[in-house]
Amino acid sequence: MNSGNRLRQAWSKVSDMRMERKLLLVFLLLVILPLTFIGFVSYRNYSHSIEHNTIVYSTNMLSNMMDRVDDYIEDMVRISSIPAYQDDIRQNLIRSNRYYEQRAQSSGGGEGNSVPTDFDLLLSIQRGIEGNISYINNIKRGANSVYIFDQYGNGYYSAKSGIRTNIKESYELWEQRMRDTAGEAVLFSTQKYTSNLKSVKYAFTVVRKIIDKSLKDVGMIAVDANISVIEDQVVKLDRVTHGKSLIVDADGNVVYDSGRKLLTANIADQPMLKQATGQNGSFYLNEGGERHLYIYATSSHNAWKMIISIPAKELTRDSVVIRNVTWIATFLTIGIALLISIFFSFALTRPLRTMIRLMRRVQGGDFNVQFQVRRRDEIGQLGSQFNQMILQIDQLIADIYVMETKKKEAELHALQSQINPHFMYNTLESIRMAAELNDDRDAANMLAILGRLLRYSISDLHEEVTLASELDHVRHYVELLNYRYPGRFELRIDAPQQLTGYSIIKLVLQPIVENAIYHGMDDDKPLMHINVAAEIAKEHVILRISDDGLGMTGETLERLNRNLSGQAVALARAGGNPAGSSGSGIGLANVNERIRLHYGSRFGVKVFSESGRGTVVELLLPFAGEGGGG
């Protein structure tokens, strides 16, 4: 009984422990012990044997690979000696040298003494040499290009997959290196070039002087070998070692790189090449934050060095012993960890998952949730704070909803009331003057138009109308003004048929037209043009009202746009003058505020103007499809 009590007390203490100590306990039992056990058993018994076997096996493969490369180069050297035994090639080279020598001598005596081009002779020489080149080119697979030059650098060649486009530069490089040789073959490291087939090639080259029977130089032969002859063998090697291979010549120039990143580069100053001393060997080196094993072997014929880079993590992948030991250790560790995890998982995960489910319900908008607090640990404290937070958020949302609803209603009524009285006073003054000047007919017409305008203006503030209705309202307004100022205003409307049914809030165009007329009218111009245009721009509708009136200065325009962007909203709501010039911005500020309240802060009004050139006002509204509004 006492043991049971002690056990319950111990479990209670563990349950009430701080989360920090619980996580530490789980980490010690489930992570440190298994990893220590697996690492000790695996690496202590097998790491040294794996490294030794890998080095021995890879070194043998490297030696065999370098022997095959040496054999191939030796074949290229033999191919380069063939012209020395081909009378046809030597005789044609002598003919070519003699022809170009005569041309060189005659050109020194002036243009009038120049030897004419003998195309038949050149064609005969070309056929005689290139016919033999084709035979040479087919002797050895991989010798895909053979070039023969006379002493003046004129080339004759045959290629299986295109010739060098930089043959002149290549000849100059080869000729410079061959000047001090006596007919022995010279091996050039890999070069990058573009063929006449517009493809990029990499090839290493064997170059040799062509000597006639009298030991006189008659030309030069260059045999290109595409690096694919090496690549075929290296790919197999890399597949076995899971590494990357590199072949470097005696000067540190990269002959072949299986990663294709260092081809033709010089890496004589890199650490891996500096450590690769002697005929063969191995060493470890960190590369890109990862430890690599480097194994190298050197050719005894041409001093080329082949290096294999194997990531250290790859050394254990093919070992059957390590695999078996690792699986056994892993299963034992998992079994132990599973028993411990089952014991602790209920206490650790159930409250956390419960809180996650509650949070998801809150995310979906359900605030009628409560976390059951049963412990005094961090989860219990977190649950208590969570419950208090939900209550406060729910209350705040309710308060904000009521406040925003009342605020929006008040702002809409206040903004609407700013527009209608101002318009009515001006209209009544126009009717009074028309009645005095024209007796009854014009007054009757003006009253009829005013009736339409008033009926349109005083209906439900929340009502949306079509763009066509809003444009009709502007037409009536300008028609009424032309009674007051006969023939003074001309209205033009350009709206596509697609937007005639577009839904829009009321009274957004007329206040802007009114503002343009009363603050942009130029007394020196007998006629003022007002244009109203509508267009669809991607996901937006743009309404553009332009006039050719007085315009405004740059300072006034900047202040007006700054106010409209929201920096003077409080002043506009209070009935002040956001534009700062005779009330010219009140109508614009009201329309701008109504658009923002209805559609969002991304939409609103922007003004463009130039003093003496007129003003353009743009309204940016949302477009949700044909005939639709925001």
Side-chain angles (χ1 to χ4, degrees), residues 116-183:
T117 302
D118 190 344
F119 291 103
D120 293 334
L121 175 62
L122 293 177
L123 182 59
S124 174
I125 295 172
Q126 181 178 358
R127 289 177 176 175
I129 296 178
E130 291 184 356
N132 287 279
I133 292 177
S134 298
Y135 164 75
I136 295 172
N137 200 20
N138 291 318
I139 292 178
K140 181 69 176 176
R141 185 184 69 86
N144 62 336
S145 299
V146 177
Y147 305 86
I148 293 181
F149 304 90
D150 64 16
Q151 290 182 307
Y152 293 89
N154 300 291
Y156 306 92
Y157 35 78
S158 173
K160 295 179 180 178
S161 58
I163 62 174
R164 296 172 179 251
T165 56
N166 64 338
I167 187 65
K168 183 177 180 181
E169 292 81 3
S170 299
Y171 170 78
E172 292 174 355
L173 173 65
W174 296 333
E175 195 272 338
Q176 183 179 6
R177 285 275 303 274
M178 300 301 295
R179 288 175 184 173
D180 299 329
T181 63

Side-chain angles (χ1 to χ4, degrees), residues 176-233:
Q176 183 179 6
R177 285 275 303 274
M178 300 301 295
R179 288 175 184 173
D180 299 329
T181 63
E184 66 273 14
V186 176
L187 177 62
F188 287 79
S189 184
T190 300
Q191 295 176 323
K192 177 182 178 181
Y193 68 91
T194 303
S195 73
N196 60 344
L197 301 178
K198 305 301 182 183
S199 59
V200 177
K201 303 286 185 180
Y202 294 89
F204 56 92
T205 311
V206 171
V207 183
R208 181 197 293 265
K209 287 183 179 179
I210 300 176
I211 310 296
D212 63 4
K213 294 181 179 180
S214 62
L215 302 180
K216 180 181 178 182
D217 296 348
V218 294
M220 183 173 65
I221 181 173
V223 183
D224 269 350
N226 195 293
I227 61 170
S228 61
V229 300
I230 299 177
E231 190 171 32
D232 294 340
Q233 301 296 328

Side-chain angles (χ1 to χ4, degrees), residues 600-621:
S601 59
R602 294 189 300 112
F603 305 96
V605 177
K606 191 170 184 180
V607 182
F608 306 89
S609 183
E610 185 177 349
S611 181
R613 302 289 297 273
T615 302
V616 178
V617 179
E618 287 190 356
L619 280 64
L620 182 66
L621 304 173

Side-chain angles (χ1 to χ4, degrees), residues 103-401:
R103 288 185 61 87
Q105 292 175 355
S106 63
S107 63
E111 295 183 358
N113 298 325
S114 175
V115 175
T117 302
D118 190 344
F119 291 103
D120 293 334
L121 175 62
L122 293 177
L123 182 59
S124 174
I125 295 172
Q126 181 178 358
R127 289 177 176 175
I129 296 178
E130 291 184 356
N132 287 279
I133 292 177
S134 298
Y135 164 75
I136 295 172
N137 200 20
N138 291 318
I139 292 178
K140 181 69 176 176
R141 185 184 69 86
N144 62 336
S145 299
V146 177
Y147 305 86
I148 293 181
F149 304 90
D150 64 16
Q151 290 182 307
Y152 293 89
N154 300 291
Y156 306 92
Y157 35 78
S158 173
K160 295 179 180 178
S161 58
I163 62 174
R164 296 172 179 251
T165 56
N166 64 338
I167 187 65
K168 183 177 180 181
E169 292 81 3
S170 299
Y171 170 78
E172 292 174 355
L173 173 65
W174 296 333
E175 195 272 338
Q176 183 179 6
R177 285 275 303 274
M178 300 301 295
R179 288 175 184 173
D180 299 329
T181 63
E184 66 273 14
V186 176
L187 177 62
F188 287 79
S189 184
T190 300
Q191 295 176 323
K192 177 182 178 181
Y193 68 91
T194 303
S195 73
N196 60 344
L197 301 178
K198 305 301 182 183
S199 59
V200 177
K201 303 286 185 180
Y202 294 89
F204 56 92
T205 311
V206 171
V207 183
R208 181 197 293 265
K209 287 183 179 179
I210 300 176
I211 310 296
D212 63 4
K213 294 181 179 180
S214 62
L215 302 180
K216 180 181 178 182
D217 296 348
V218 294
M220 183 173 65
I221 181 173
V223 183
D224 269 350
N226 195 293
I227 61 170
S228 61
V229 300
I230 299 177
E231 190 171 32
D232 294 340
Q233 301 296 328
V234 174
V235 168
K236 298 177 182 178
L237 181 63
D238 289 348
R239 189 180 298 116
V240 173
T241 61
H242 301 285
K244 297 293 183 181
S245 298
L246 198 71
I247 300 179
V248 185
D249 66 11
D251 297 325
N253 298 309
V254 177
V255 178
Y256 177 80
D257 174 25
S258 58
R260 291 296 184 105
K261 295 181 179 179
L262 298 175
L263 267 175
T264 72
N266 188 287
I267 59 170
D269 58 343
Q270 291 199 11
M272 66 174 177
L273 195 59
K274 292 181 178 179
Q275 293 195 36
T277 57
Q279 283 296 113
N280 54 61
S282 63
F283 56 91
Y284 279 97
L285 192 66
N286 289 328
E287 179 181 346
E290 187 177 4
R291 196 163 181 252
H292 285 70
L293 171 64
Y294 287 88
I295 306 172
Y296 63 93
T298 307
S299 169
S300 58
H301 292 78
N302 50 45
W304 282 10
K305 196 181 298 291
M306 187 170 186
I307 305 173
I308 298 180
S309 171
I310 306 174
K313 64 182 181 181
E314 296 289 343
L315 295 177
T316 60
R317 289 195 176 184
D318 296 328
S319 173
V320 177
V321 176
I322 284 192
R323 183 193 63 189
N324 295 336
V325 172
T326 301
W327 276 113
I328 294 172
T330 301
F331 283 130
L332 290 175
T333 306
I334 290 176
I336 297 172
L338 183 60
L339 294 176
I340 298 173
S341 299
I342 293 174
F343 183 76
F344 281 98
S345 61
F346 181 80
L348 291 174
T349 61
R350 189 177 70 172
L352 292 175
R353 292 184 180 182
T354 300
M355 184 169 292
I356 290 174
R357 288 195 297 269
L358 295 177
M359 287 181 177
R360 288 176 178 172
R361 291 175 58 185
V362 172
Q363 186 179 4
D366 181 9
F367 291 92
N368 295 320
V369 298
Q370 188 175 19
F371 181 83
Q372 297 295 328
V373 180
R374 297 179 181 178
R375 303 289 182 185
R376 291 178 295 174
D377 58 3
E378 283 83 357
I379 294 180
Q381 297 177 22
L382 182 61
S384 299
Q385 296 296 324
F386 174 80
N387 292 335
Q388 295 179 16
M389 179 186 68
I390 294 303
L391 292 175
Q392 293 178 0
I393 291 177
D394 192 27
Q395 184 61 41
L396 286 173
I397 290 176
D399 294 342
I400 291 173
Y401 178 79

